[in-house]
Amino acid sequence: MKAQIIKTVFVEAARRIHKQGKIEYTGNSYRIDLFAEGEVDPDIGWVIDYADMKRFFEPVRKQLDHCCLNDIPALSEDTSPQAIEKWIKEALRPWPAWFSGVRVSLPVTAKFTPEKIPADPILGLPERFAFSFSAAQSLPQLPEGHPCRALHGHTYQVEIAPAEGAFVETLASEVFLHLDNTYLNRLPGLEQATAERIAAWMWKFLVERGFVPELVAVQETPSNRCHYRGQ
């Protein structure tokens, strides 16, 4: 009996881009799927232990996560998912018998297309509108050795709940244009760009333009998010 199994890993990385004739930094959240294929062990019942797949990939993950991808020589000119895939395959050599491939993708695409999200009574969240943006950041206030101190990036997912019951799309679009494809630390108020401070920055941005939201949520990764209610 043969089977294919997949181990999924997420990494957060920055990359350099050209914006208005200048070199700028942005960032993305990347999904990496590691594939294993082979005979299912008749006694244990699996192709390979997921923990073994994780250990096999860990040295490569450490090189990709919380870094600037262009600093990796083979990715200095091309940081596309296809180029990252090619680099990973070479970095993983020699391949074990179970290895059958790797796929790199962007789980969320940064774009301003507001999507309506229904209220979530379990989490106590009101109806809100969501969009995403990509940016680079670092947290220089953290001690040496902390991964978030290094230049890295995220594809941020933003949710805004309008207190008045009407979504001010123009203002949200301004938020997107201010933050997308930027190095957040260069913006006043975001020199230490934690999710909490990004949410507070958005809240202040909206309030100063006459729009008081009920909630601003910022999600950095699939497992990390912040809810801010202006307090």
Side-chain angles (χ1 to χ4, degrees):
M1 173 187 172
K2 283 189 175 182
Q4 181 187 70
I5 61 173
I6 305 167
K7 176 68 177 177
T8 300
V9 177
F10 293 91
V11 300
E12 313 295 324
R15 57 189 176 86
R16 288 191 289 270
I17 60 171
H18 292 279
K19 185 177 180 181
Q20 298 176 345
K22 298 180 180 179
I23 294 178
E24 181 59 271
Y25 288 95
T26 187
N28 287 103
S29 302
Y30 294 88
R31 171 176 172 160
I32 303 174
D33 294 308
L34 190 66
F35 295 89
E37 191 170 330
E39 292 288 341
V40 175
D41 187 291
D43 298 320
I44 301 177
W46 59 36
V47 174
I48 182 72
D49 190 342
Y50 285 110
D52 289 338
M53 295 178 72
K54 182 178 180 180
R55 279 191 291 271
F56 170 67
F57 188 66
E58 184 61 10
V60 171
R61 185 202 66 79
K62 284 184 176 180
Q63 293 183 69
L64 292 171
D65 194 37
H66 284 73
C67 78
C68 179
L69 294 174
N70 302 89
D71 291 339
I72 297 173
L75 300 176
S76 61
E77 300 298 327
D78 184 1
T79 59
S80 65
Q82 295 79 11
I84 298 171
E85 280 182 17
K86 181 179 179 180
W87 178 84
I88 290 174
K89 287 179 181 177
E90 291 306 308
L92 289 175
R93 290 184 183 275
W95 299 336
W98 53 260
F99 178 78
S100 64
V102 64
R103 179 178 60 208
V104 177
S105 60
L106 301 176
V108 179
T109 302
K111 55 185 177 180
F112 187 73
T113 52
E115 176 186 357
K116 194 173 185 179
I117 301 177
D120 186 336
I122 295 177
L123 294 179
L125 299 177
E127 184 179 87
R128 55 220 187 274
F129 292 82
F131 60 92
S132 58
F133 71 92
S134 292
Q137 59 118 283
S138 61
L139 301 181
Q141 70 272 29
L142 297 180
E144 291 284 352
H146 194 290
C148 292
R149 182 183 171 95
L151 174 65
H152 61 286
H154 300 287
T155 305
Y156 294 88
Q157 296 181 70
V158 178
E159 298 170 12
I160 298 175
E164 296 91 352
F167 182 58
V168 183
E169 185 170 332
T170 301
L171 288 180
S173 176
E174 287 185 37
V175 171
F176 174 83
L177 291 174
H178 271 76
L179 301 181
D180 189 53
N181 284 336
T182 63
Y183 182 14
L184 295 177
N185 298 59
R186 293 174 178 167
L187 297 175
L190 290 180
E191 294 85 358
Q192 300 175 350
T194 61
E196 294 88 338
R197 286 185 168 131
I198 296 170
W201 185 95
M202 290 183 186
W203 185 283
K204 181 181 178 183
F205 184 95
L206 295 170
V207 169
E208 287 178 345
R209 288 156 180 78
F211 177 72
V212 181
E214 183 179 344
L215 170 79
V216 172
V218 175
Q219 180 167 311
E220 289 183 336
T221 72
S223 57
N224 299 321
R225 59 186 284 125
C226 168
H227 295 163
Y228 184 71
R229 293 181 169 85
Q231 298 175 354

